[in-house]
Amino acid sequence: ARQVAVKTIRPELSASEEVRARIKRECRLHAAIGVHPHIVTLYDSIEEHGHLSLVMEYFAGETLAARLADQSAAPGIAPPLALDIVRQLLRALAAIHEAGIVHRDIKTANILLQPQEDGSIVAKLTDFGIARTAVEDADLTRLTALDGQGPGTPAYMAPERIDSQSFGAIGPASDLYAVGVILYELFTGRPPFTGTMTEIFSGHLVQSPGLERLSAALPDQCHTLLQTALAKQVEDRFASAGAFLTAVEEVAALLVPVQ
């Protein structure tokens, strides 16, 4: 007796053991996290006549990607709102990492926004399709996105996701790097590295994120925040989602409250 969203798996994919394994893992990871105010809740999975479906919390709104794409005025989002969205995202990641899970696909298309009556925005993270627990077998099949582009989205990939031999293992810091990319995009209207896949990967690995694109009206602390979040080496980034959140709170306190 409640409104839900049903995510269906295309019939031609329902017979795939790889897809089934991905769905089972997504359900298991959601169950490990439990209910969280900034994560879309997965209620159940259903298999009927060979068809797979996920029953999820109905959360009306739009993706952050859609919000950024529909920019009729200045690019990006007002800094107070940008920081508020990132603050909510980091609270979700704190819970995910606490459960020993790395999301691995943090991007604007996986963040849903819902306007509230008081004018505020509630953000929720979704899609655990390629998430992995820290204790899973390293030889576990890497389940790819259904569109065939591989696990993850290049614009939001941390250096270690591209070259683990040089930059180390994928972990919570990889998710936090993606949050840094999102914050940069919210401030400027575009990710720090764009172009061909080769150009994007080169940017993540060796190039500066180009903080000169940030508005001169932003406090210097925003530069420091992004420098840390987008550091090439894992050990130079924020130690945890909580540490990143604290830094965001400090910068937000310097700005005009969200209208």
Side-chain angles (χ1 to χ4, degrees):
R2 64 182 167 193
Q3 190 172 19
V4 298
V6 179
K7 181 179 180 179
T8 59
I9 310 305
R10 295 204 303 269
E12 66 270 24
L13 295 174
S14 292
S16 166
E17 289 302 319
E18 188 168 308
V19 171
R20 287 174 178 276
R22 170 180 169 175
I23 297 303
K24 289 178 181 178
R25 284 177 52 251
E26 183 165 359
C27 293
R28 189 171 67 249
L29 297 179
H30 270 280
I33 296 165
V35 177
H36 189 280
H38 299 300
I39 299 174
V40 172
T41 301
L42 175 64
Y43 295 129
D44 200 1
S45 63
I46 296 173
E47 182 171 355
E48 188 175 30
H49 306 303
H51 298 294
L52 288 171
S53 300
L54 298 181
V55 183
M56 311 184 77
E57 169 190 3
Y58 178 74
F59 188 70
E62 64 179 344
T63 66
L64 180 54
R67 174 74 176 257
L68 284 165
D70 184 24
Q71 294 294 321
S72 55
I77 286 177
L81 178 56
L83 290 171
D84 189 47
I85 290 170
V86 166
R87 196 159 36 194
Q88 295 178 64
L89 176 57
L90 288 169
R91 290 182 186 129
L93 280 176
I96 291 170
H97 295 164
E98 178 81 16
I101 296 166
V102 180
H103 189 284
R104 294 164 56 91
D105 199 20
I106 301 297
K107 59 185 179 182
T108 55
N110 283 341
I111 300 167
L112 301 176
L113 305 178
Q114 184 183 83
Q116 304 298 294
E117 290 184 1
D118 63 1
S120 64
I121 296 284
V122 171
K124 291 204 177 195
L125 179 62
T126 189
D127 201 342
F128 286 71
I130 63 171
R132 294 270 290 277
T133 65
V135 297
E136 280 185 290
D137 186 349
D139 294 328
L140 182 68
T141 300
R142 284 174 174 262
L143 303 176
T144 61
L146 297 184
D147 60 7
Q149 294 177 352
T153 303
Y156 304 92
M157 282 186 177
E160 63 272 17
R161 298 204 57 202
I162 302 166
D163 182 1
S164 59
Q165 288 189 334
S166 300
F167 294 92
I170 297 169
S174 308
D175 285 345
L176 300 183
Y177 180 93
V179 176
V181 172
I182 288 173
L183 182 57
Y184 183 100
E185 187 174 0
L186 292 177
F187 281 156
T188 66
R190 51 162 282 183
F193 308 114
T194 58
T196 65
M197 188 174 295
T198 299
E199 290 170 334
I200 293 172
F201 282 176
S202 175
H204 288 307
L205 296 175
V206 300
Q207 296 176 20
S208 162
L211 298 181
E212 67 277 359
R213 295 194 191 99
L214 269 63
S215 168
L218 290 172
D220 292 341
Q221 288 87 339
C222 286
H223 289 247
T224 304
L225 188 69
L226 286 170
Q227 283 174 338
T228 303
L230 295 173
K232 306 298 185 188
Q233 300 297 332
V234 170
E235 60 270 21
D236 294 330
R237 295 179 211 147
F238 292 105
S240 66
F244 196 165
L245 177 59
T246 297
V248 169
E249 297 276 15
E250 291 172 354
V251 172
L254 302 174
L255 303 177
V256 177
V258 178
Q259 299 298 318

